[in-house]
Amino acid sequence: MRNDQFKIHAEVEDDHWWFQSRREILIDQINKFQPDAKRVAEIGCGTGGNLRALSQKGFEVIGSDINPLATKLARERVTGEIYTGDYKETFKKYWDKIDVVILADVLEHIKDDRQFIQDLVENMCQGSILIITVPANPLLWSEHDLILGHFRRYTAGQLGVLLGGLGDMECKFQSYFNCLLFPLIFLLRMMNRLLPRKKNIGQSDLGRLHPLVNALLRTIFSLERLWLGKKRTFPLGVSLLATLQKN
């Protein structure tokens, strides 16, 4: 991902509706499937928004990212160990103490996602859980994906096949999410595709919104926690969520 996008992340992710609601869903998954978790590791931690929130909840956190600017910004905001480089090297001494691993919108940045996820699972200790989120629905592919360095958007079937090949990992839960706002986001993406505006060229969808708009979108998105919290799934959405446990 481009450095200018990391700077935007650091500026907006603490109070942006999308980041706030996704963090709440991640924390709910931890509480549901690993309620005694103490240490959480995030691979591809970016500028540290998730780790900061988890730390404030009382978790011990460690993070890793290959981008030096991202980890620099994360260290300024997170109480925990933040490493720059390949997680396989930086996390070596931690694996037997990691209860939860988070991949929040990371796999779409990896060309060989299958090899990446297999290598990760091999390092995880027995009983630990892996929480994954990825962008969903190829129909939503846009300039936003290109700028953020995505190779793909997933369908539920594609993600299921990818995760189904991980022999000793049990899928505890998988669902689309950000479903309620899907019609609006789909319409906006189609409009930008058919009627591109010059000012949007070279820009992602991230940015500050009017506080009232941000609050409204967060309220709508946050309603999905009640549904997901009962282990119910959505038939479509802007993103996909999966939680797995190593047996």
Side-chain angles (χ1 to χ4, degrees):
M1 192 164 73
R2 293 177 352 195
N3 281 345
D4 63 324
Q5 296 303 307
F6 280 119
K7 291 177 181 178
I8 294 173
H9 273 231
E11 291 171 1
V12 307
E13 68 178 337
D14 284 345
D15 54 14
H16 190 280
W17 66 274
W18 155 250
F19 291 107
Q20 284 186 323
S21 298
R22 186 184 64 173
R23 282 196 295 270
E24 292 170 351
I25 290 172
L26 293 173
I27 292 170
D28 282 352
Q29 291 293 296
I30 295 173
N31 292 335
K32 184 171 294 294
F33 295 107
Q34 196 77 309
D36 297 325
K38 294 180 180 178
R39 176 169 282 168
V40 180
E42 183 173 17
I43 298 169
C45 67
T47 55
N50 293 332
L51 294 179
R52 180 176 180 176
L54 288 163
S55 177
Q56 291 170 347
K57 292 288 184 179
F59 294 100
E60 296 177 30
V61 299
I62 58 173
S64 176
D65 202 289
I66 61 173
N67 186 285
L69 175 61
T71 52
K72 176 181 179 296
L73 293 169
R75 290 188 192 103
E76 294 172 357
R77 309 170 65 239
V78 177
T79 301
E81 298 294 327
I82 306 294
Y83 297 95
T84 305
D86 187 337
Y87 76 91
K88 286 181 282 189
E89 295 298 321
T90 58
F91 285 2
K92 270 185 177 179
K93 62 182 179 181
Y94 293 109
W95 286 115
D96 62 341
K97 300 176 182 178
I98 293 174
D99 302 305
V100 179
V101 178
I102 293 176
L103 286 178
D105 290 68
V106 171
L107 283 178
E108 67 274 12
H109 296 273
I110 310 296
K111 189 171 184 180
D112 190 348
D113 56 350
R114 182 174 299 277
Q115 188 63 55
F116 179 89
I117 197 76
Q118 288 175 342
D119 290 343
L120 170 57
V121 167
E122 287 179 6
N123 284 284
M124 291 174 60
C125 67
Q126 297 296 319
S128 59
I129 66 169
L130 172 63
I131 305 174
I132 298 170
T133 64
V134 291
N137 202 317
L139 286 175
L140 295 178
W141 184 267
S142 70
E143 181 84 1
H144 174 80
D145 296 283
L146 294 172
I147 291 167
L148 294 184
H150 295 174
F151 283 100
R152 67 194 74 82
R153 299 183 73 93
Y154 292 81
T155 65
Q158 289 170 336
L159 185 61
V161 169
L162 177 66
L163 302 180
L166 304 175
D168 54 356
M169 296 294 286
E170 177 187 357
C171 186
K172 294 290 189 178
F173 185 73
Q174 180 177 323
S175 176
Y176 286 103
F177 68 104
N178 201 0
C179 173
L180 300 178
L181 290 171
F182 180 89
L184 174 62
I185 293 171
F186 177 79
L187 178 62
L188 291 174
R189 292 283 172 92
M190 292 305 103
M191 288 176 61
N192 285 336
R193 186 178 299 176
L194 296 172
L195 301 170
R197 293 174 292 175
K198 289 184 178 180
K199 69 176 183 178
N200 284 342
I201 296 175
Q203 297 179 14
S204 72
D205 294 344
L206 295 174
R208 289 199 177 278
L209 300 173
H210 188 282
L212 291 178
V213 174
N214 192 67
L216 175 61
L217 293 174
R218 186 190 176 193
T219 299
I220 295 172
F221 193 178
S222 293
L223 291 174
E224 299 188 9
R225 291 178 61 195
L226 302 175
W227 188 260
L228 295 172
K230 296 179 180 179
K231 295 187 180 180
R232 294 172 176 169
T233 61
F234 289 104
L236 81 168
V238 182
S239 296
L240 273 160
L241 164 72
T243 300
L244 304 93
Q245 185 167 36
K246 188 166 185 179
N247 293 324

